Each structure stands twice: as C-alpha cells, then as structure tokens.
C-alpha cells in the first residue's frame, strides 16, 4: 500500500541504527523512502518495534507488531535479548521526539535521517541514572581539598579533562600540572596502543564503527602517552567524543585513561593524513615519464587509483 514499508525492512533499519551502523541505516531509509514509504509511517513503525521489543523483555510470549511464528518475530526476540530496558526506553523517547519533528518538517525524510543519527550515536551510551550514580559515588570517594582564591589570572595552559570509567561523563578545566597519566595500558593479549591509528584499529576490532569514524575524522592529536591522550577536536566533532573515547578505552583495556581537550595545535586527522598521502602518491606517479606522456596526450585524463603490484593484487601467473 502507498506510504507503507515492509516490516522486515523496518526491523533491519532499527537493528542497524541501534548497532551504530548509521551509514547502512541511512542507506536503508533512502531505499525505503524511494520505494514509496512515508517517513512519518516509518517513524511510527520504529516506535511500534521499540514498544514490541520492550514488551518482549518483560513477557517473552508477548504478541504485537510481528506474528509470533514469523522469522521477523524470532529476529525481534534475539534483538530484544541484547538490548536492556534502559536503552529501549531511551530509544522510545528519542523516536517519539523524532516523530513530531518529521510531522512538522518541510522535508520529512531529512528530519527522519537526523532522528536516526541521534539515536545511533546515543545507542551505546550508558543510562542517565548510572552516570548520575557514578558521579555521586566518585564525589563521595574523593576527599575534599581546601581551595584558595587568587586575584591573579589563571594559567592559559589548561585543557578539559574527561576520565574514563565511573566519571566518564564529567569534564572540568584543570592546569596541566594537575593531570596525571594512568599506568601503561594495552588490550589484554594485544599490542600496546602507541599511535592514534592503533586506537582506531582497536575500535574497528571491537565493532565500534561510529567511534572509529570519529577518531579518524575529528581528532587532531596533540599528545599520546600510556593511559593519556590529548587532542584538539575538529569543528564537527560531537561534544561527547572525549567521554566516549575515555569510557571505551577503559572498557577495552581495563585501565583508566585520561582524555584531555586542547584548544589549539595537533596533527592532521588520520583521514587528512590518508588523503595527503594519497595525493602525494598520485603526484609522484604523475611525474613518471610514461604516465606524464599519457596525461599530456589525453587532456582531461586523470589518475584515479594507484595500486601496488606486490600488495594490492592477488598472486597470479602474470604478476608473480
């Protein structure tokens, strides 16, 4: 029917969003939309799925959005088993807000995309009540220190500090001298994290695809030491990047990491470094006599890729 979408595809859309695979989720939404589905109906179906999964958590034999004997119902039960109630209730609130935005937007599909982006980025965050409890417990366990006021101006060499673990959501501005690095940290049984590329690779290995993309595109590394990272966030970086990174590194390594934010400086992002390396390689190849002759002979021609014969191609009788 016009405006409706296949419920199995809506379940795929929900699962990819909650898994953090937002690129695939947006591609599915685009396909569903161009197939004739109304974005408002899609949002309503996502809410129905969230409600159905929540009921399954409470009563495994609950009936609702899917027929109890269908393949989609079995998939839904598997998804429900992986998602805690706190995550489902938060998804309900965010989707309900997105429903009203889609209803009132001049471009409903754009509003639906933004709602899914918000939900995807919040899917792996800890529940709000846990963050509050952790912060309160940290405050109780930290002895109070006397404070003095000074009329002199505070030092300029300060940075925002976010500690991993229990106080991952807190941030404060401290002088650099007060920031102490944690002991040497690495993934148990894995290599040490000596570079930002190592951390991005670890995020990929842990299926944290959203965080991996943020590390590659939004971090201008200033300093990386055992248990401590300092970086300048890119303009488009999410506000929660430092806290997310500290929390995940503590979870993966078992060691508390100190993540500090700098106001200036830092290396190019990993994405910028890859782009610069690719452009340099293309420029070097373009100066080769044979390639230069082809480019001069065919105006408008360009080099689109450079492949290493030894590493980028499978062995054959011709290139062995």
């Amino acid at each position: 029917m016009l405006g409706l979408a296949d419920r199995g595809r809506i379940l795929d859309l929900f699962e990819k969003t909650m898994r953090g695979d937002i690129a695939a989720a947006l591609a599915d939404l685009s396909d569903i939309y161009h197939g004739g589905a109304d974005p408002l109906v899609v949002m309503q179906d996502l809410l129905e799925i969230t409600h159905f999964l929540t009921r399954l958590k409470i009563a495994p034999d609950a009936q609702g959005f899917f027929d109890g004997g269908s393949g989609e119902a079995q998939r839904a039960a598997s998804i429900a088993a992986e998602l805690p109630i706190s995550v489902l209730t938060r998804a309900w609130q965010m989707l309900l807000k997105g429903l009203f935005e889609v209803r009132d937007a001049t471009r409903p599909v754009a509003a639906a995309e933004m709602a899914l982006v918000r939900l995807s980025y919040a899917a792996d965050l800890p529940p709000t009540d846990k963050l509050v409890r952790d912060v309160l417990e940290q405050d109780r366990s930290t002895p109070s220190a006397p404070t003095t006021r000074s009329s002199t101006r505070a030092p300029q060499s300060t940075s925002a500090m976010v500690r991993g673990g229990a106080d991952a959501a807190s941030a404060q501005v401290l002088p650099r001298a007060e920031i102490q690095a944690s002991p040497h940290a690495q993934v148990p049984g894995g290599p040490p994290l000596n570079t930002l590329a190592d951390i991005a690779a670890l995020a990929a290995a842990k299926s944290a695809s959203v965080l991996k993309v943020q590390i590659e595109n939004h971090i201008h590394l200033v300093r990386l030491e055992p248990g401590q990272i300092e970086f300048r966030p890119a303009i488009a970086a999410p506000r929660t990047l430092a806290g997310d990174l500290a929390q995940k590194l503590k979870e993966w390594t078992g060691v508390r990491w100190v993540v500090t934010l700098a106001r200036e400086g830092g290396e190019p992002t990993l994405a910028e470094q890859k782009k610069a390396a690719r452009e340099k390689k293309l420029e070097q190849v373009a100066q080769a006599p044979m390639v230069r002759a082809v480019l001069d002979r065919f105006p408008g021609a360009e080099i689109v890729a450079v492949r290493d014969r030894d590493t980028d191609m499978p062995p054959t009788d011709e290139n062995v």
Side-chain angles (χ1 to χ4, degrees), residues 3 8 21 55 57 70 82 88 92 107 109-110 118 126 161 173 182 196 204 214 222 244 247 263 273 277 283 292:
D21 192 358
R55 292 186 62 204
K57 295 286 291 186
S70 65
E82 298 176 358
L88 289 170
W92 171 270
R107 291 193 64 242
V109 67
R118 287 200 305 268
M161 181 183 73
V173 177
S182 302
L196 189 61
Q214 293 174 353
V222 175
D244 294 345
Q247 179 186 355
R263 294 187 175 91
Q273 293 178 31
E283 180 61 26
R292 185 75 264 167

Side-chain angles (χ1 to χ4, degrees), residues 213 215-219 268-277:
V213 171
I215 292 172
E216 292 178 338
N217 291 274
H218 299 320
I219 288 183
T269 65
L270 293 178
E272 292 171 345
Q273 293 178 31
K274 290 180 181 178
K275 181 180 179 181

Side-chain angles (χ1 to χ4, degrees), residues 38-41 43 97-109 111-113 115:
D38 184 349
L40 187 62
V41 175
M43 296 299 294
K97 183 177 185 296
L99 178 70
F100 295 129
E101 293 175 349
V102 172
R103 181 196 63 186
D104 299 333
T106 55
R107 291 193 64 242
V109 67
E113 289 179 348

Side-chain angles (χ1 to χ4, degrees), residues 153-228:
R153 189 173 181 179
Q156 293 297 319
S157 58
T158 60
S159 57
M161 181 183 73
V162 181
R163 297 187 184 274
D167 50 345
S170 64
Q172 54 183 318
V173 177
L174 298 176
R176 293 186 189 275
E178 295 183 30
I179 300 177
Q180 297 181 354
S182 302
H184 180 73
Q186 69 180 74
V187 180
L193 305 178
N194 295 324
T195 66
L196 189 61
D198 293 339
I199 297 176
L202 175 61
K206 297 295 184 179
S207 300
S209 55
V210 174
L211 183 58
K212 173 182 177 293
V213 171
Q214 293 174 353
I215 292 172
E216 292 178 338
N217 291 274
H218 299 320
I219 288 183
H220 295 273
L221 184 64
V222 175
R223 180 178 51 177
L224 175 58
E225 298 176 356
Q228 184 172 358

